[in-house]
Coordinates of all heavy atoms in Angstrom, one line a residue:
D1 N 0.7 -1.2 0.0 CA 0.0 0.0 0.0 C 0.9 1.3 0.0 O 0.6 2.2 -0.8 CB -0.9 0.1 1.3 CG -2.4 -0.2 0.8 OD1 -2.6 -0.4 -0.4 OD2 -3.4 0.1 1.6
D2 N 1.9 1.2 0.9 CA 2.7 2.4 1.0 C 3.4 2.7 -0.4 O 3.5 3.8 -0.7 CB 3.8 2.2 2.0 CG 3.2 2.7 3.4 OD1 2.3 3.3 3.5 OD2 4.0 2.5 4.5
V3 N 4.0 1.6 -1.0 CA 4.6 1.8 -2.3 C 3.7 2.4 -3.3 O 4.0 3.3 -4.0 CB 5.2 0.5 -2.7 CG1 5.8 0.6 -4.2 CG2 6.3 0.0 -1.7
E4 N 2.4 1.9 -3.3 CA 1.5 2.4 -4.2 C 1.2 3.8 -4.1 O 1.2 4.7 -4.9 CB 0.2 1.6 -4.3 CG -0.8 1.9 -5.4 CD -1.8 1.0 -5.5 OE1 -1.6 -0.2 -5.5 OE2 -3.0 1.4 -5.4
S5 N 0.9 4.2 -2.8 CA 0.7 5.6 -2.5 C 1.8 6.6 -2.8 O 1.7 7.7 -3.2 CB 0.1 5.9 -1.1 OG 1.0 5.5 -0.2
R6 N 2.9 6.0 -2.5 CA 4.2 6.8 -2.8 C 4.3 7.0 -4.2 O 4.7 8.0 -4.7 CB 5.5 6.0 -2.1 CG 6.6 7.0 -1.9 CD 7.8 6.5 -1.1 NE 8.1 5.1 -1.4 CZ 8.0 4.1 -0.6 NH1 7.7 4.2 0.6 NH2 8.5 2.8 -1.0
G7 N 4.0 6.0 -5.1 CA 4.1 6.0 -6.5 C 3.2 7.0 -6.9 O 3.6 7.9 -7.9
L8 N 2.0 7.1 -6.6 CA 1.0 8.1 -7.0 C 1.5 9.5 -6.6 O 1.3 10.4 -7.3 CB -0.3 7.8 -6.4 CG -1.1 6.5 -6.9 CD1 -2.4 6.3 -6.1 CD2 -1.4 6.7 -8.4
G9 N 2.0 9.6 -5.5 CA 2.6 10.9 -4.9 C 3.7 11.5 -5.8 O 3.7 12.6 -6.2
D10 N 4.6 10.5 -6.3 CA 5.6 11.0 -7.3 C 5.0 11.4 -8.6 O 5.6 12.3 -9.1 CB 6.6 9.7 -7.5 CG 7.4 9.3 -6.3 OD1 7.6 10.2 -5.4 OD2 8.0 8.2 -6.2
V11 N 4.0 10.8 -9.1 CA 3.4 11.2 -10.3 C 2.8 12.6 -10.1 O 3.0 13.4 -10.9 CB 2.3 10.1 -10.8 CG1 1.5 10.7 -11.9 CG2 2.9 8.8 -11.2
Y12 N 2.0 12.7 -9.0 CA 1.5 14.0 -8.6 C 2.5 15.1 -8.6 O 2.2 16.2 -9.1 CB 0.7 13.9 -7.4 CG -0.1 15.1 -7.0 CD1 -1.1 15.7 -7.9 CD2 0.1 15.7 -5.8 CE1 -1.7 16.8 -7.5 CE2 -0.6 16.9 -5.4 CZ -1.5 17.3 -6.3 OH -2.2 18.5 -6.0
K13 N 3.6 14.8 -7.9 CA 4.7 15.7 -7.7 C 5.2 16.2 -9.0 O 5.5 17.3 -9.4 CB 5.7 15.3 -6.8 CG 5.2 15.4 -5.3 CD 6.3 15.1 -4.3 CE 6.5 13.7 -4.0 NZ 7.4 13.4 -2.9
R14 N 5.4 15.2 -9.9 CA 6.0 15.5 -11.3 C 5.0 16.4 -12.1 O 5.5 17.2 -12.8 CB 6.2 14.1 -12.0 CG 7.6 13.4 -11.8 CD 8.0 12.6 -12.9 NE 6.9 11.5 -13.2 CZ 7.0 10.3 -12.5 NH1 7.8 10.2 -11.5 NH2 5.9 9.4 -12.8
Q15 N 3.7 16.1 -11.9 CA 2.8 16.9 -12.6 C 2.7 18.3 -12.1 O 2.7 19.3 -12.9 CB 1.3 16.3 -12.5 CG 1.1 14.9 -13.3 CD -0.2 14.3 -12.9 OE1 -0.8 14.4 -11.9 NE2 -0.6 13.3 -13.9
L16 N 2.8 18.4 -10.8 CA 2.8 19.8 -10.1 C 4.0 20.5 -10.7 O 3.9 21.6 -11.1 CB 2.8 19.7 -8.7 CG 1.5 19.4 -7.9 CD1 1.8 19.2 -6.4 CD2 0.5 20.4 -8.1
Y17 N 5.2 19.8 -10.7 CA 6.4 20.5 -11.1 C 6.4 21.0 -12.5 O 6.7 22.0 -12.9 CB 7.6 19.6 -10.8 CG 9.0 20.2 -11.1 CD1 9.6 21.0 -10.1 CD2 9.6 20.1 -12.4 CE1 10.9 21.6 -10.4 CE2 10.8 20.8 -12.6 CZ 11.4 21.5 -11.7 OH 12.5 22.1 -11.9
S18 N 6.0 20.0 -13.4 CA 5.8 20.2 -14.8 C 4.8 21.5 -15.1 O 5.1 22.5 -15.8 CB 5.2 19.1 -15.5 OG 5.0 19.3 -16.8
Q19 N 3.7 21.5 -14.4 CA 2.8 22.6 -14.6 C 3.3 24.0 -14.0 O 3.2 25.0 -14.7 CB 1.5 22.2 -13.7 CG 0.3 23.2 -13.8 CD -0.8 22.8 -12.9 OE1 -0.9 21.6 -12.4 NE2 -1.6 23.8 -12.5
A20 N 3.9 23.9 -12.9 CA 4.5 25.1 -12.2 C 5.7 25.6 -13.1 O 5.7 26.9 -13.3 CB 5.0 24.9 -10.8
Y21 N 6.6 24.8 -13.6 CA 7.7 25.1 -14.4 C 7.2 25.7 -15.7 O 7.8 26.7 -16.2 CB 8.7 24.0 -14.5 CG 10.0 24.5 -15.1 CD1 10.9 25.1 -14.4 CD2 10.2 24.4 -16.5 CE1 12.1 25.7 -14.9 CE2 11.4 25.0 -17.1 CZ 12.2 25.6 -16.2 OH 13.5 26.0 -16.8
S22 N 6.2 25.1 -16.2 CA 5.7 25.7 -17.5 C 5.1 27.1 -17.3 O 5.4 28.0 -18.1 CB 4.5 24.8 -18.0 OG 4.0 25.2 -19.1
S23 N 4.4 27.3 -16.3 CA 3.8 28.7 -15.9 C 5.0 29.7 -15.7 O 5.1 30.7 -16.2 CB 3.0 28.7 -14.7 OG 1.9 27.9 -14.8
Y24 N 6.0 29.3 -15.0 CA 7.3 29.9 -14.7 C 8.0 30.4 -16.0 O 8.3 31.5 -16.2 CB 8.2 29.2 -13.7 CG 9.4 29.9 -13.6 CD1 9.7 30.8 -12.7 CD2 10.6 29.5 -14.3 CE1 11.0 31.6 -12.4 CE2 11.9 30.1 -14.2 CZ 12.0 31.1 -13.3 OH 13.3 31.7 -13.1
S25 N 8.2 29.4 -16.8 CA 8.8 29.6 -18.1 C 8.2 30.6 -19.0 O 8.8 31.3 -19.8 CB 9.0 28.2 -18.8 OG 9.8 27.3 -18.1
S26 N 6.9 30.6 -18.9 CA 6.2 31.6 -19.8 C 5.9 32.9 -19.1 O 5.2 33.6 -19.6 CB 4.8 31.0 -20.2 OG 4.0 30.7 -19.0
G27 N 6.5 33.0 -17.9 CA 6.4 34.4 -17.1 C 5.1 34.6 -16.4 O 4.8 35.7 -15.9
D28 N 4.4 33.4 -16.2 CA 3.1 33.6 -15.5 C 3.4 33.1 -14.0 O 3.1 32.0 -13.5 CB 2.1 32.6 -16.2 CG 0.7 32.7 -15.4 OD1 0.7 33.5 -14.5 OD2 -0.2 31.9 -15.8
Y29 N 4.1 34.1 -13.3 CA 4.5 33.7 -12.0 C 3.4 33.6 -11.0 O 3.4 32.9 -10.0 CB 5.5 35.0 -11.5 CG 6.6 35.2 -12.4 CD1 6.9 36.3 -13.0 CD2 7.4 34.0 -12.8 CE1 7.8 36.4 -14.1 CE2 8.5 34.1 -13.8 CZ 8.6 35.3 -14.4 OH 9.6 35.5 -15.3
Q30 N 2.2 34.4 -11.3 CA 1.1 34.3 -10.3 C 0.5 32.8 -10.3 O -0.1 32.4 -9.3 CB 0.1 35.3 -10.7 CG 0.6 36.8 -10.6 CD 1.2 37.0 -9.1 OE1 0.6 36.7 -8.1 NE2 2.3 37.6 -9.2
S31 N 0.6 32.2 -11.5 CA 0.1 30.8 -11.5 C 1.2 29.8 -10.9 O 0.9 28.8 -10.3 CB -0.2 30.3 -13.0 OG -1.4 31.1 -13.4
A32 N 2.5 30.1 -11.3 CA 3.5 29.2 -10.8 C 3.7 29.3 -9.3 O 3.9 28.2 -8.7 CB 5.0 29.8 -11.4
I33 N 3.5 30.4 -8.6 CA 3.7 30.4 -7.3 C 2.9 29.4 -6.4 O 3.4 28.7 -5.6 CB 3.5 31.9 -6.6 CG1 4.7 32.7 -7.2 CG2 3.3 32.0 -5.1 CD1 4.6 34.2 -7.0
P34 N 1.5 29.5 -6.5 CA 0.7 28.5 -5.7 C 1.0 27.1 -6.0 O 1.0 26.1 -5.1 CB -0.7 28.8 -6.0 CG -0.8 29.6 -7.2 CD 0.6 30.3 -7.3
T35 N 1.4 26.7 -7.3 CA 1.7 25.3 -7.7 C 3.0 24.9 -7.1 O 3.1 23.9 -6.5 CB 1.7 25.2 -9.2 OG1 0.5 25.9 -9.7 CG2 1.7 23.8 -9.6
F36 N 4.0 25.8 -7.2 CA 5.3 25.4 -6.5 C 5.2 25.4 -5.0 O 5.8 24.5 -4.4 CB 6.3 26.6 -6.9 CG 7.0 26.3 -8.1 CD1 7.2 27.4 -9.1 CD2 7.6 25.1 -8.5 CE1 7.8 27.1 -10.3 CE2 8.4 24.9 -9.7 CZ 8.5 26.0 -10.6
Q37 N 4.3 26.2 -4.4 CA 4.0 26.2 -2.9 C 3.4 24.9 -2.6 O 3.8 24.3 -1.5 CB 3.2 27.3 -2.6 CG 3.8 28.7 -2.4 CD 2.9 29.8 -2.0 OE1 1.8 29.8 -2.6 NE2 3.3 30.6 -1.1
K38 N 2.5 24.4 -3.3 CA 1.9 23.1 -3.0 C 3.0 22.0 -3.0 O 3.1 21.1 -2.1 CB 0.7 22.8 -3.9 CG 0.0 21.6 -3.7 CD -1.1 21.4 -4.7 CE -2.2 22.4 -4.7 NZ -3.3 22.2 -5.7
L39 N 3.8 22.1 -4.1 CA 4.8 21.0 -4.2 C 5.9 21.0 -3.1 O 6.2 20.1 -2.5 CB 5.5 21.2 -5.6 CG 6.6 20.2 -5.9 CD1 6.3 18.8 -5.8 CD2 7.2 20.6 -7.4
V40 N 6.4 22.3 -2.9 CA 7.4 22.5 -1.8 C 6.7 22.1 -0.4 O 7.5 21.5 0.4 CB 7.9 23.8 -1.8 CG1 8.6 24.3 -0.5 CG2 8.7 24.2 -3.0
G41 N 5.4 22.3 -0.3 CA 4.7 21.9 1.0 C 4.8 20.4 1.1 O 4.9 19.7 2.3
M42 N 4.7 19.7 0.1 CA 4.7 18.2 0.1 C 6.2 17.7 0.2 O 6.4 16.6 0.8 CB 4.1 17.7 -1.2 CG 2.8 17.9 -1.4 SD 2.1 17.4 -3.1 CE 2.4 15.6 -3.1
D43 N 7.1 18.4 -0.5 CA 8.5 17.8 -0.6 C 9.5 19.0 -0.9 O 9.7 19.3 -2.0 CB 8.5 16.8 -1.7 CG 10.0 16.2 -1.9 OD1 10.8 16.6 -1.1 OD2 10.0 15.3 -2.8
E44 N 10.0 19.5 0.2 CA 10.9 20.8 0.1 C 12.0 20.5 -0.7 O 12.5 21.3 -1.5 CB 11.1 21.4 1.5 CG 11.7 22.8 1.3 CD 11.8 23.4 2.8 OE1 12.0 22.7 3.7 OE2 11.7 24.7 2.8
A45 N 12.5 19.3 -0.7 CA 13.8 18.9 -1.3 C 13.6 18.4 -2.9 O 14.4 18.0 -3.4 CB 14.6 17.8 -0.5
Y46 N 12.3 18.6 -3.3 CA 12.1 18.0 -4.6 C 13.0 18.5 -5.8 O 13.3 19.7 -5.9 CB 10.6 18.4 -5.1 CG 10.1 17.6 -6.1 CD1 9.8 16.3 -6.1 CD2 10.1 18.2 -7.5 CE1 9.4 15.5 -7.3 CE2 9.7 17.6 -8.6 CZ 9.4 16.2 -8.5 OH 9.0 15.4 -9.7
R47 N 13.5 17.4 -6.5 CA 14.5 17.8 -7.6 C 15.7 18.6 -7.1 O 16.1 19.6 -7.7 CB 13.8 18.6 -8.7 CG 12.8 17.8 -9.5 CD 13.3 17.7 -11.0 NE 12.1 16.7 -11.6 CZ 11.7 17.0 -12.8 NH1 11.9 18.1 -13.4 NH2 10.7 16.2 -13.3
D48 N 16.3 18.1 -6.0 CA 17.4 18.7 -5.4 C 17.3 20.3 -5.1 O 18.1 21.1 -5.4 CB 18.7 18.5 -6.3 CG 19.1 17.2 -6.3 OD1 19.0 16.3 -5.4 OD2 19.7 16.7 -7.4
G49 N 16.1 20.5 -4.5 CA 15.8 21.9 -4.3 C 15.2 22.8 -5.3 O 15.1 24.1 -5.2
S50 N 15.1 22.2 -6.5 CA 14.7 23.0 -7.7 C 13.3 23.7 -7.5 O 13.0 24.8 -7.9 CB 14.6 22.1 -9.0 OG 15.9 21.9 -9.4
A51 N 12.4 22.9 -6.9 CA 11.1 23.4 -6.6 C 11.1 24.7 -5.7 O 10.5 25.7 -6.0 CB 10.2 22.3 -6.0
A52 N 11.9 24.5 -4.6 CA 12.1 25.8 -3.7 C 12.8 26.9 -4.5 O 12.4 28.0 -4.3 CB 12.9 25.4 -2.5
Y53 N 13.7 26.6 -5.2 CA 14.5 27.6 -6.0 C 13.6 28.3 -7.0 O 13.5 29.6 -6.9 CB 15.6 26.9 -6.8 CG 16.4 27.9 -7.6 CD1 17.3 28.9 -7.1 CD2 16.2 27.9 -9.0 CE1 18.0 29.7 -7.9 CE2 16.9 28.8 -9.8 CZ 17.8 29.7 -9.2 OH 18.4 30.6 -10.0
Y54 N 12.8 27.6 -7.8 CA 11.9 28.3 -8.7 C 10.7 28.9 -8.1 O 10.3 29.9 -8.6 CB 11.5 27.3 -9.9 CG 12.5 27.0 -10.7 CD1 13.2 25.7 -10.8 CD2 13.1 28.0 -11.5 CE1 14.1 25.4 -11.8 CE2 14.2 27.6 -12.5 CZ 14.6 26.5 -12.5 OH 15.7 26.1 -13.4
L55 N 10.3 28.4 -6.9 CA 9.4 29.2 -6.1 C 10.0 30.5 -5.7 O 9.3 31.6 -5.8 CB 9.0 28.4 -4.7 CG 8.0 29.2 -3.9 CD1 6.8 29.7 -4.5 CD2 7.7 28.2 -2.7
A56 N 11.2 30.5 -5.2 CA 11.9 31.8 -4.8 C 11.9 32.7 -6.1 O 11.7 33.9 -5.9 CB 13.3 31.5 -4.3
Q57 N 12.3 32.2 -7.2 CA 12.5 32.9 -8.4 C 11.2 33.6 -8.8 O 11.1 34.8 -9.2 CB 13.0 32.0 -9.5 CG 14.5 31.6 -9.4 CD 15.4 32.8 -9.7 OE1 15.6 33.7 -9.0 NE2 15.9 32.8 -11.0
S58 N 10.1 32.7 -8.7 CA 8.7 33.2 -9.1 C 8.3 34.4 -8.2 O 7.9 35.4 -8.7 CB 7.8 32.2 -9.0 OG 8.1 31.1 -9.8
F59 N 8.6 34.3 -6.9 CA 8.3 35.3 -5.9 C 9.1 36.7 -6.4 O 8.6 37.7 -6.5 CB 8.6 35.0 -4.5 CG 7.5 34.3 -3.7 CD1 7.8 33.1 -3.2 CD2 6.2 34.8 -3.7 CE1 6.7 32.5 -2.5 CE2 5.2 34.2 -3.0 CZ 5.5 33.0 -2.3
R60 N 10.4 36.5 -6.5 CA 11.2 37.7 -6.9 C 10.8 38.3 -8.2 O 10.8 39.5 -8.3 CB 12.7 37.2 -7.0 CG 13.7 38.3 -7.2 CD 15.2 37.9 -7.4 NE 15.2 37.0 -8.5 CZ 15.4 37.4 -9.8 NH1 15.4 38.6 -10.1 NH2 15.6 36.4 -10.7
K61 N 10.7 37.5 -9.2 CA 10.3 38.0 -10.5 C 8.8 38.7 -10.5 O 8.6 39.5 -11.4 CB 10.4 37.0 -11.6 CG 11.7 36.5 -11.9 CD 11.9 35.5 -13.0 CE 13.2 35.2 -13.2 NZ 13.4 34.7 -14.6
S62 N 7.9 38.4 -9.5 CA 6.7 39.0 -9.4 C 6.9 40.2 -8.4 O 5.8 40.8 -8.0 CB 5.6 38.0 -9.0 OG 5.8 37.6 -7.7
G63 N 8.0 40.5 -8.0 CA 8.3 41.8 -7.2 C 8.1 41.5 -5.7 O 8.0 42.4 -4.9
D64 N 8.2 40.3 -5.2 CA 8.1 39.9 -3.8 C 9.3 39.2 -3.2 O 9.3 38.0 -3.0 CB 6.9 39.1 -3.7 CG 6.5 38.9 -2.1 OD1 7.2 39.4 -1.3 OD2 5.6 38.2 -1.8
L65 N 10.4 40.1 -3.1 CA 11.7 39.4 -2.7 C 11.6 38.9 -1.2 O 12.2 37.9 -0.8 CB 12.8 40.4 -2.8 CG 14.2 39.9 -2.6 CD1 14.6 38.6 -3.5 CD2 15.3 40.8 -2.9
A66 N 10.8 39.6 -0.4 CA 10.7 39.2 0.9 C 10.2 37.8 1.1 O 10.7 37.0 1.9 CB 9.7 40.2 1.7
S67 N 9.2 37.3 0.2 CA 8.6 36.0 0.3 C 9.7 35.0 -0.5 O 9.6 33.9 0.0 CB 7.3 35.9 -0.4 OG 6.3 36.7 0.2
A68 N 10.5 35.5 -1.3 CA 11.5 34.7 -1.9 C 12.6 34.2 -1.0 O 13.1 33.2 -1.0 CB 12.0 35.3 -3.1
K69 N 13.0 35.2 0.0 CA 14.1 35.0 0.8 C 14.3 33.6 1.5 O 15.4 33.0 1.5 CB 14.4 36.2 1.8 CG 14.8 37.3 1.1 CD 14.9 38.5 2.1 CE 15.7 38.3 3.2 NZ 15.9 39.6 4.1
P70 N 13.2 33.2 2.3 CA 13.4 31.9 3.0 C 13.6 30.6 2.0 O 14.3 29.7 2.3 CB 12.1 31.7 3.7 CG 11.1 32.7 3.3 CD 11.9 33.8 2.5
Y71 N 13.1 30.7 0.8 CA 13.4 29.6 -0.2 C 14.8 29.7 -0.6 O 15.5 28.8 -0.9 CB 12.3 29.7 -1.2 CG 10.9 29.4 -0.6 CD1 10.0 30.6 -0.4 CD2 10.6 28.2 -0.2 CE1 8.7 30.3 0.0 CE2 9.3 28.0 0.5 CZ 8.4 29.0 0.5 OH 7.2 29.0 1.2
Y72 N 15.3 31.0 -1.0 CA 16.7 31.1 -1.4 C 17.6 30.6 -0.2 O 18.6 29.9 -0.5 CB 16.9 32.5 -1.7 CG 16.5 33.1 -3.0 CD1 15.9 34.2 -3.2 CD2 16.6 32.3 -4.2 CE1 15.5 34.8 -4.4 CE2 16.3 32.8 -5.4 CZ 15.7 34.1 -5.6 OH 15.3 34.5 -6.7
Q73 N 17.1 31.0 1.0 CA 18.1 30.5 2.1 C 18.0 29.0 2.2 O 19.0 28.4 2.5 CB 17.5 31.2 3.4 CG 18.5 31.0 4.6 CD 19.8 31.9 4.3 OE1 19.8 32.9 4.0 NE2 21.0 31.1 4.4
Y74 N 17.0 28.4 2.0 CA 16.9 26.9 2.1 C 17.9 26.3 1.1 O 18.5 25.4 1.4 CB 15.4 26.5 1.9 CG 15.3 25.1 1.6 CD1 15.3 24.1 2.7 CD2 15.3 24.5 0.2 CE1 15.2 22.8 2.5 CE2 15.1 23.1 0.0 CZ 15.2 22.3 1.1 OH 15.1 20.9 1.0
V75 N 17.7 26.9 0.0 CA 18.7 26.3 -1.2 C 20.1 26.5 -0.8 O 21.0 25.6 -1.0 CB 18.3 27.0 -2.5 CG1 19.4 26.5 -3.6 CG2 17.0 26.6 -3.0
V76 N 20.5 27.8 -0.3 CA 21.9 28.0 0.2 C 22.3 27.0 1.3 O 23.4 26.5 1.2 CB 22.1 29.5 0.6 CG1 23.3 29.7 1.4 CG2 21.9 30.5 -0.6
D77 N 21.5 26.9 2.2 CA 21.8 26.0 3.3 C 21.9 24.5 3.0 O 22.7 23.8 3.6 CB 20.7 26.0 4.4 CG 20.7 27.5 5.0 OD1 21.6 28.3 4.9 OD2 19.6 27.8 5.8
N78 N 21.1 24.1 2.0 CA 21.1 22.6 1.8 C 21.8 22.1 0.5 O 22.0 20.9 0.3 CB 19.6 22.2 1.7 CG 18.8 22.3 3.1 OD1 19.0 21.4 3.9 ND2 18.2 23.3 3.4
Y79 N 22.0 23.0 -0.4 CA 22.7 22.7 -1.7 C 23.9 23.5 -2.0 O 24.2 24.0 -3.2 CB 21.7 22.8 -2.8 CG 20.4 22.0 -2.5 CD1 19.4 22.4 -2.0 CD2 20.5 20.5 -2.8 CE1 18.3 21.7 -1.6 CE2 19.4 19.7 -2.5 CZ 18.4 20.3 -1.9 OH 17.3 19.4 -1.6
A80 N 24.7 23.7 -0.9 CA 25.9 24.6 -1.1 C 26.8 24.0 -2.3 O 26.9 22.8 -2.5 CB 26.7 24.6 0.2
G81 N 27.4 25.0 -3.0 CA 28.3 24.5 -4.0 C 27.6 24.2 -5.4 O 28.2 24.0 -6.4
T82 N 26.3 24.3 -5.3 CA 25.6 24.2 -6.6 C 25.3 25.6 -7.3 O 25.4 26.6 -6.6 CB 24.2 23.6 -6.5 OG1 23.2 24.5 -5.7 CG2 24.3 22.2 -5.8
E83 N 25.0 25.6 -8.6 CA 24.8 26.8 -9.3 C 23.6 27.5 -8.6 O 23.5 28.7 -8.4 CB 24.5 26.4 -10.8 CG 24.3 27.7 -11.6 CD 25.6 28.6 -11.6 OE1 26.6 28.1 -11.6 OE2 25.4 29.9 -11.7
K84 N 22.5 26.7 -8.3 CA 21.4 27.3 -7.7 C 21.7 27.9 -6.3 O 21.1 29.0 -6.1 CB 20.3 26.1 -7.4 CG 19.5 25.7 -8.5 CD 18.3 24.7 -8.3 CE 18.8 23.4 -7.6 NZ 18.9 22.3 -8.5
A85 N 22.6 27.3 -5.5 CA 22.9 28.0 -4.3 C 23.7 29.3 -4.5 O 23.5 30.3 -3.8 CB 23.7 27.1 -3.5
R86 N 24.6 29.3 -5.5 CA 25.4 30.5 -5.8 C 24.4 31.7 -6.3 O 24.5 32.8 -5.8 CB 26.4 30.3 -6.9 CG 27.7 29.6 -6.5 CD 28.7 29.5 -7.4 NE 28.4 28.8 -8.6 CZ 28.6 27.4 -8.6 NH1 29.1 27.0 -7.5 NH2 28.3 26.7 -9.7
T87 N 23.4 31.3 -7.2 CA 22.5 32.3 -7.5 C 21.6 32.8 -6.6 O 21.4 34.0 -6.2 CB 21.7 31.7 -8.6 OG1 22.4 31.2 -9.7 CG2 20.6 32.7 -9.3
S88 N 21.1 31.9 -5.6 CA 20.3 32.2 -4.4 C 21.2 33.1 -3.4 O 20.6 34.1 -3.0 CB 20.0 30.9 -3.7 OG 19.1 30.2 -4.4
K89 N 22.5 32.9 -3.2 CA 23.2 33.7 -2.4 C 23.3 35.1 -2.9 O 23.2 36.1 -2.2 CB 24.7 33.1 -2.3 CG 25.4 33.5 -1.0 CD 26.6 32.7 -0.9 CE 26.5 31.5 0.0 NZ 27.7 30.8 0.3
N90 N 23.5 35.3 -4.2 CA 23.5 36.6 -4.9 C 22.3 37.3 -4.6 O 22.3 38.5 -4.4 CB 23.8 36.5 -6.4 CG 25.2 35.9 -6.8 OD1 26.0 36.1 -6.0 ND2 25.4 35.5 -7.9
Y91 N 21.1 36.7 -4.7 CA 19.8 37.4 -4.5 C 19.7 37.8 -3.0 O 19.1 38.9 -2.7 CB 18.7 36.6 -5.1 CG 18.6 36.5 -6.6 CD1 18.5 35.3 -7.2 CD2 18.6 37.7 -7.4 CE1 18.5 35.2 -8.4 CE2 18.7 37.6 -8.7 CZ 18.6 36.3 -9.2 OH 18.5 36.3 -10.7
L92 N 20.1 37.0 -2.2 CA 20.0 37.2 -0.8 C 21.0 38.5 -0.4 O 20.7 39.4 0.3 CB 20.5 36.1 0.0 CG 19.4 35.0 0.2 CD1 20.0 33.7 0.8 CD2 18.1 35.4 0.9
A93 N 22.1 38.5 -1.1 CA 23.1 39.7 -0.8 C 22.6 40.8 -1.5 O 22.8 42.0 -0.8 CB 24.5 39.2 -1.5
Q94 N 21.9 40.9 -2.6 CA 21.3 42.1 -3.1 C 20.3 42.7 -2.1 O 20.3 44.0 -2.0 CB 20.5 41.6 -4.4 CG 21.3 41.6 -5.6 CD 20.5 41.2 -6.8 OE1 19.2 41.2 -6.7 NE2 21.1 40.8 -7.9
E95 N 19.6 41.9 -1.5 CA 18.6 42.3 -0.5 C 19.2 43.1 0.6 O 18.6 44.0 1.3 CB 17.8 41.1 0.1 CG 16.7 41.5 1.2 CD 15.6 42.2 0.6 OE1 15.5 42.6 -0.5 OE2 14.7 42.5 1.4
Q96 N 20.5 42.8 1.0 CA 21.1 43.4 2.2 C 21.8 44.7 1.8 O 22.2 45.4 2.7 CB 22.2 42.4 2.8 CG 21.5 41.5 3.7 CD 21.9 40.1 3.5 OE1 22.9 39.8 3.1 NE2 21.0 39.2 4.0
Q97 N 21.9 45.1 0.6 CA 22.6 46.3 0.1 C 21.8 47.5 0.4 O 20.5 47.4 0.4 CB 22.8 46.2 -1.3 CG 24.0 45.3 -1.6 CD 24.2 45.1 -3.1 OE1 23.6 45.6 -4.0 NE2 25.1 44.1 -3.5

């Protein structure tokens, strides 16, 4: 039973990510944000932090850096040394200037 529900969860998470990333890619951040939020709420580490990172990016690109910051911080704290973490650190540093 657990394996089956986990499998369905994985499919659902893939669908959420695909839908949210599609909205993000087309510049529709208002649609991307709630979908990424739902995914991050289920699995903050999804795709090595990509869901959290793109949620932060969606917030920032829609003019809400304050809401983006905790997600950028999560990526910096958990994925040090990655391109996503370097980018996140830059955006966090910008906020402090």
Side-chain angles (χ1 to χ4, degrees):
D1 247 12
D2 270 354
V3 170
E4 190 171 305
S5 62
R6 202 166 48 235
L8 290 174
D10 287 345
V11 169
Y12 182 58
K13 286 189 271 190
R14 273 200 306 277
Q15 288 170 340
L16 282 176
Y17 185 85
S18 173
Q19 181 187 339
Y21 189 79
S22 175
S23 297
Y24 171 84
S25 297
S26 65
D28 184 2
Y29 308 120
Q30 295 313 311
S31 296
I33 287 168
T35 313
F36 276 130
Q37 281 177 314
K38 188 182 290 183
L39 179 56
V40 168
M42 292 169 67
D43 183 0
E44 198 168 28
Y46 190 74
R47 292 241 175 132
D48 293 331
S50 288
Y53 175 76
Y54 286 116
L55 176 54
Q57 289 285 77
S58 297
F59 273 127
R60 182 183 62 80
K61 289 181 177 204
S62 66
D64 187 357
L65 189 57
S67 294
K69 282 175 66 177
Y71 299 104
Y72 281 136
Q73 193 61 57
Y74 169 80
V75 172
V76 169
D77 292 345
N78 291 278
Y79 301 97
T82 65
E83 187 60 38
K84 285 190 295 264
R86 281 191 292 277
T87 304
S88 297
K89 200 174 267 184
N90 288 341
Y91 289 128
L92 287 168
Q94 275 177 18
E95 174 71 355
Q96 274 131 29
Q97 287 172 6

